[in-house]
Every structure is written in structure tokens, then in C-alpha cells.
Amino acid sequence: MGCVHLYCGDGKGKTTAAIGLAVRAAGAGKQVVAARFLKTDQSGEVEILKRLPEVTLIPCEKTFGFTWKMTDEVKREAADYYKSMFETACCEAVKRCGKTEDSRSRKIQNNETCDVLLVLDEVCASLSSGLLELTDIVDFLDHRPAGLEVVMTGRKPPEELLLRAD
């Protein structure tokens, strides 16, 4: 089974490490799927990733502002949006593995290995802000295709992610 990377902690470098791994994987001919939560697409790493044919970047076309300033209504809208981004990224990664996913059971239909990297940037911050559900992420990690490598970034990852990290 592919490794689960968890780049966490205070300070800078988490996204840089994840993007570096994505570029390295693409350079080795691997397919890469990347989703960036809580960030806009207006940054240097997005522009270079768009130029790599091996990389599928899930766009983040909406911004909701700082999480601590969101109203309950905006927070619900953001949670729906980020959940959709997460599901799109996971489905795209599974598809690039040549697999299909049963949306009702979230079980992978084909259990062969794949050579794909999935980057979930700032997924930990999305969890701690209540914008993503831990059960969705854990379920995906536990049922992903063998060989699908996953990189997650952010501060204060929950224990359930720490236990699954290599």
C-alpha cells in the first residue's frame, strides 16, 4: 500500500514539502492529484503545477475568508464546498489508478495497485475548523487502492490521522 505522509507542525514548509513531492512524483512519471483547502489558486506553486501534464489540480475557485470570521451560514457553505473538493480529489485519484468507487459504500471495486500521488494541502486546518469531516477522510484512507500514496498537510492533525501516517 502507498504511504500516508503527514506534514504538520508550526511554521512554514508543510505545503512546500508536499508540492516538492508532487513535482518529484510527476518527474518520475507518476500521476498526481492535488487539492488545496482554505487557499486560493493565486500562488506560485499553483502556476507551476498547472504546467505539468501529470498533475491534476482540483481548483479552489471560492474563498470564504478567515474561518474565525465566518458566520454559521458561510461556514456551512464552505463546508459543502470543501467536502465536494475532497470528494472530487479522491474520485480523481481513484480514477487515475484505473479503479472505480461505489459512492454508496465508498469501497474501491478493484484492489490492484496504482502509482498515483494524492495531495490534500491544509486538510488538517479544514478538519480543525469543522469544514471537513474526519470520518470521510479516515474512511477514504482506510479503503483507498493499494499503492495510492497520500500527502496531507496542516497544523494539529487529529490522532486518527497520526495513527495512519507512515
Side-chain angles (χ1 to χ4, degrees):
M1 182 155 294
C3 290
V4 174
H5 304 252
L6 185 56
Y7 301 146
C8 57
D10 294 330
K12 296 183 177 193
K14 298 175 286 294
T15 296
T16 301
I19 298 305
L21 188 58
V23 169
R24 184 178 184 191
K30 281 187 171 188
Q31 292 293 305
V32 177
V33 176
R36 302 170 69 248
F37 302 94
L38 303 175
K39 297 179 175 181
T40 68
D41 285 349
Q42 308 302 313
S43 64
E45 68 263 18
V46 170
E47 292 308 312
I48 196 63
L49 290 175
K50 286 180 181 177
R51 296 179 192 171
L52 300 174
E54 298 84 3
V55 176
T56 300
L57 188 62
I58 307 303
C60 185
E61 297 168 335
K62 287 187 175 185
T63 183
F64 299 95
F66 294 111
T67 56
W68 61 88
K69 291 185 177 182
M70 289 181 190
T71 65
D72 288 342
E73 182 181 337
V74 170
K75 202 168 191 176
R76 280 190 298 276
E77 181 185 353
D80 290 343
Y81 185 77
Y82 292 130
K83 180 176 181 156
S84 177
M85 277 182 61
F86 172 74
E87 290 174 351
T88 298
C90 293
C91 287
E92 188 64 33
V94 169
K95 183 171 83 174
R96 297 223 174 250
C97 289
K99 315 291 185 256
T100 58
E101 185 177 21
D102 181 338
S103 60
R104 285 168 284 142
S105 66
R106 295 192 59 86
K107 300 285 187 216
I108 306 303
Q109 297 299 315
N110 186 344
N111 200 22
E112 296 174 15
T113 62
C114 75
D115 201 19
V116 175
L117 174 67
L118 173 61
V119 177
L120 301 171
D121 188 33
E122 291 298 347
V123 74
C124 295
S126 299
L127 284 167
S128 63
S129 300
L131 300 176
L132 285 175
E133 294 291 331
L134 182 59
T135 55
D136 291 338
I137 294 163
V138 167
D139 184 54
F140 179 76
L141 290 174
D142 290 349
H143 298 100
R144 71 189 189 281
L148 176 58
E149 198 159 342
V150 180
V151 177
M152 299 177 289
T153 71
R155 290 182 172 90
K156 299 179 184 171
E159 184 69 21
E160 291 87 342
L161 296 187
L162 290 170
L163 292 171
R164 287 163 175 81
D166 292 294

